[in-house]
Amino acid sequence: MTQKITLTILWLGFVVYAFFLSPPNQPDTFELIKDLSTGQWDGINTLVISLFNLMGVWPLAYACVLLADGRGQKIRAYPFVLGSMFVGAFAVLPYLIFRNANPNFTGPKDWIIKLFDSRITAIFLLITALALLWFGFSQGNWTDFVNQWRSDRFIHTMSLDFCFLAFLFPVLIDDDLARRGMEEASIFRLLVWFPLLGPLVYLCLRSHLPNEVAMMEKPET
């Protein structure tokens, strides 16, 4: 209950800050979003390009955990996963608030869960993230980025959203480890606190979900 209250306060605080206390919207915000989405990147700081695309990696990383976690929950994870692709932590936080502990997984796995349980998917996300980080850090203009962060609501909120997603991922780790029979692998509980790359490395190294329908143990007679 304490965790749910904390997450609710975080979600409400993030919403209030993003819409009422963050820097103002800039006149060219929608044009910037369109250019970023369509690959028209000429004249855009590569740090902004990298951050925008990394915000597409995060929801897929969350999907690798949330879709299995949603099996057995009273609420479906799919709408929140889809929402996170557009609004990031604004969609992830409500799911975390309403979900319950779920250390078990009962099969069979459908094709979507198989896709996001695949190590190939995880490796692809890790390589993509590394390429985007190299692209942003090697060619980006930090002075310009800081100025935009201070004056542009879109870039300001997107940066905070990235931080929220990094901070929230460890909330899911204990149940995901339990579903995979990895409860004693405590190193992963530390690894996922390393922003973005830690969770992606974890997704590459974790065991697969059980493939068979879990059977209830019969009571002894």
Side-chain angles (χ1 to χ4, degrees):
M1 182 59 69
T2 301
Q3 184 181 87
K4 289 180 181 292
I5 293 173
T6 301
L7 292 172
T8 301
I9 293 172
L10 284 174
W11 182 67
L12 291 174
F14 191 23
V15 170
V16 170
Y17 180 83
F19 288 97
F20 299 103
L21 300 175
S22 62
N25 275 321
Q26 298 300 311
D28 62 345
T29 294
F30 289 109
E31 189 70 22
L32 175 62
I33 294 173
K34 186 192 76 171
D35 289 345
L36 287 168
S37 302
T38 57
Q40 300 178 40
W41 296 344
D42 289 345
I44 302 177
N45 190 337
T46 57
L47 285 167
V48 174
I49 298 170
S50 177
L51 177 60
F52 181 83
N53 285 281
L54 287 172
M55 292 305 295
V57 173
W58 261 129
L60 298 177
Y62 268 88
C64 292
V65 178
L66 291 185
L67 294 177
D69 185 76
R71 180 76 64 86
Q73 298 282 355
K74 292 181 179 180
I75 57 172
R76 295 287 186 180
Y78 293 98
F80 299 93
V81 170
L82 289 174
S84 70
M85 295 179 182
F86 300 95
V87 294
F90 289 104
V92 171
L93 270 164
Y95 177 80
L96 297 181
I97 292 167
F98 290 111
R99 72 177 288 275
N100 295 308
N102 184 24
N104 301 306
F105 180 84
T106 56
K109 296 186 285 187
D110 58 36
W111 70 269
I112 296 178
I113 289 181
K114 286 181 180 179
L115 174 64
F116 285 99
D117 190 44
S118 168
R119 188 163 284 113
I120 294 175
T121 300
I123 292 172
F124 170 77
L125 292 176
L126 178 59
I127 292 173
T128 301
L130 288 170
L132 288 169
L133 288 170
W134 176 84
F135 176 65
F137 279 96
S138 65
Q139 303 180 44
N141 184 327
W142 278 102
T143 301
D144 175 68
F145 181 82
V146 170
N147 289 335
Q148 290 187 75
W149 186 84
R150 291 174 173 172
S151 61
D152 189 315
R153 174 175 294 176
F154 171 65
I155 294 174
H156 187 92
T157 304
M158 182 167 58
S159 303
L160 294 180
D161 198 3
F162 181 97
C163 295
F164 262 86
L165 291 171
F167 175 75
L168 294 171
F169 195 90
V171 172
L172 297 161
I173 187 66
D174 282 344
D175 282 353
D176 198 61
L177 287 171
R179 283 191 291 269
R180 300 163 192 279
M182 300 172 61
E183 298 96 325
E184 297 182 3
S186 58
I187 184 64
F188 291 120
R189 292 183 177 88
L190 298 176
L191 178 65
V192 295
W193 282 103
F194 189 85
L196 186 60
L197 295 182
L200 292 178
V201 171
Y202 164 70
L203 295 178
C204 292
L205 298 178
R206 66 181 181 172
S207 302
H208 291 298
L209 289 166
N211 201 32
E212 300 294 330
V213 176
M215 302 298 293
M216 296 293 292
E217 291 184 4
K218 295 182 179 180
E220 296 182 3
T221 57

